[in-house]
Amino acid sequence: MLKRKRQSNTQLVVAGRQVDIADQIQDFLELRQLYNAAMRKVKTKVEILGEEFQVRYNHNPIHHIECRLKTPQSIIEKLNRKGYELSLESIRKNIMDIAGIRVICNYIDDIYTIADLLLKQDDVALVRKRDYIANPKENGYRSLHLVVVTPVFLSDRKEHVPVEVQIRTIAMDCWASLEHNLIYKSSRPLPDNIKEQLKECADAVNAIDMKIRDIYRQLWQL
Ligand code: GTP
Ligand code: MG
């Protein structure tokens, strides 16, 4: 078995504790590699389902898929915000969205089809489900959020790794992206009338999704 390369002179004292900074960085890189592997695995699963639907039913439920690994800054910010310890063990235990995939579907019905088919797979276990479509957030945000765990096979062990899967329609994604952009650029607390206007946009977008779903059902499920 290959051995890890060791660096010299990488000992630091942090908060009264002796820390090997090279080891810490290496451990973090290995952790990221693990989450990256799990993310790609779940992405491939969803892609395969989409391709199968295309071949079988001439309808691909997936418009596109986005993936991202949480940045180190964002991991640290979340640990601090939630009051968790700053350590690799704490990251593994407490942060469920290091690996994130976002599945953008064409129609609302496709969201639940993809979620059900993914969760039926032997090597995918559901850890948490938040249905912000059945129960939208107060600001109007809609999406189906799942945290799933899947095994990743490494050279010397098998690790079960969580992946956050957000599934939403094109219309929901349009609102969420614009809202994120608007809120992100504004450092001030949002005035009530702005919140109301954003909520109106969310409701208008939802009305489009409902209408499109009806048209889709009329065309394909008659
Ligand atoms: P985080 O600490 O932000 O990860 O929240 P959480 O752990 O309580 O999870 P939740 O499932 O509520 O939402 C997590 C993710 O969903 C966020 O990182 C966003 O990508 C998305 N999200 C949730 N609420 C909103 C929202 O109001 N607007 C937008 N644009 N995105 C949202
Ligand atoms: Mg998050």
Side-chain angles (χ1 to χ4, degrees), residues 46 60-64 102-115 167-173 209:
V46 176
N60 190 334
I62 297 158
H63 184 266
H64 70 279
R102 188 172 286 156
V103 185
I104 318 299
C105 293
N106 291 310
Y107 311 108
I108 285 193
D109 292 346
D110 294 333
I111 295 176
Y112 293 100
T113 305
I114 290 293
I167 318 179
R168 49 171 80 146
T169 59
I170 301 169
M172 291 170 192
D173 188 54
D209 260 340

Side-chain angles (χ1 to χ4, degrees), residues 37-38 44 97 105 122 124 126 162 168 186 197:
T44 302
D97 62 344
C105 293
D122 288 350
V124 175
L126 180 66
R168 49 171 80 146
S186 137
Q197 290 176 66

Side-chain angles (χ1 to χ4, degrees), residues 68 70 78 81-82 97 102 128 130 132 137 139 141 145 164 166 168 175-177 179-180:
R68 70 101 183 89
K70 212 173 182 71
K78 188 163 182 175
R81 177 161 48 90
K82 305 234 169 184
D97 62 344
R102 188 172 286 156
R128 190 177 80 188
R130 288 187 180 151
Y132 294 124
K137 287 179 72 167
N139 62 359
Y141 177 78
H145 290 193
E164 184 186 75
Q166 299 181 353
R168 49 171 80 146
W175 182 89
S177 303
E179 188 255 9
H180 181 264

Side-chain angles (χ1 to χ4, degrees), residues 26-176:
Q26 180 64 29
D27 286 347
F28 182 73
L29 290 177
E30 288 185 17
L31 194 73
R32 257 177 96 78
Q33 189 264 327
L34 197 58
Y35 282 88
N36 190 37
M39 182 176 78
R40 283 166 48 212
K41 191 178 160 191
V42 175
K43 181 180 186 227
T44 302
K45 283 174 173 297
V46 176
E47 280 170 349
I48 291 171
L49 288 170
E51 287 158 11
E52 184 199 349
F53 265 69
Q54 180 63 55
V55 173
R56 261 200 194 194
Y57 309 113
N58 197 25
H59 163 64
N60 190 334
I62 297 158
H63 184 266
H64 70 279
I65 303 177
E66 295 164 8
C67 284
R68 70 101 183 89
L69 279 183
K70 212 173 182 71
T71 61
Q73 296 93 308
S74 175
I75 293 173
I76 292 168
E77 182 275 318
K78 188 163 182 175
L79 286 173
N80 285 333
R81 177 161 48 90
K82 305 234 169 184
Y84 295 126
E85 191 190 285
L86 245 168
S87 68
L88 289 180
E89 295 77 44
S90 171
I91 293 175
R92 287 209 64 168
K93 194 169 127 216
N94 298 311
I95 312 282
M96 294 294 123
D97 62 344
I98 295 179
I101 89 164
R102 188 172 286 156
V103 185
I104 318 299
C105 293
N106 291 310
Y107 311 108
I108 285 193
D109 292 346
D110 294 333
I111 295 176
Y112 293 100
T113 305
I114 290 293
D116 288 348
L117 293 173
L118 183 64
L119 293 175
K120 263 192 200 157
Q121 301 192 2
D122 288 350
D123 55 350
V124 175
L126 180 66
V127 173
R128 190 177 80 188
K129 177 175 170 178
R130 288 187 180 151
D131 189 344
Y132 294 124
I133 300 169
N135 304 295
K137 287 179 72 167
E138 214 179 303
N139 62 359
Y141 177 78
R142 286 175 174 81
S143 258
L144 179 64
H145 290 193
L146 311 174
V147 174
V148 299
V149 163
T150 194
V152 171
F153 293 84
L154 298 172
S155 57
D156 57 351
R157 65 192 194 280
K158 175 170 79 172
E159 294 271 1
H160 287 89
V161 185
V163 177
E164 184 186 75
V165 186
Q166 299 181 353
I167 318 179
R168 49 171 80 146
T169 59
I170 301 169
M172 291 170 192
D173 188 54
C174 170
W175 182 89

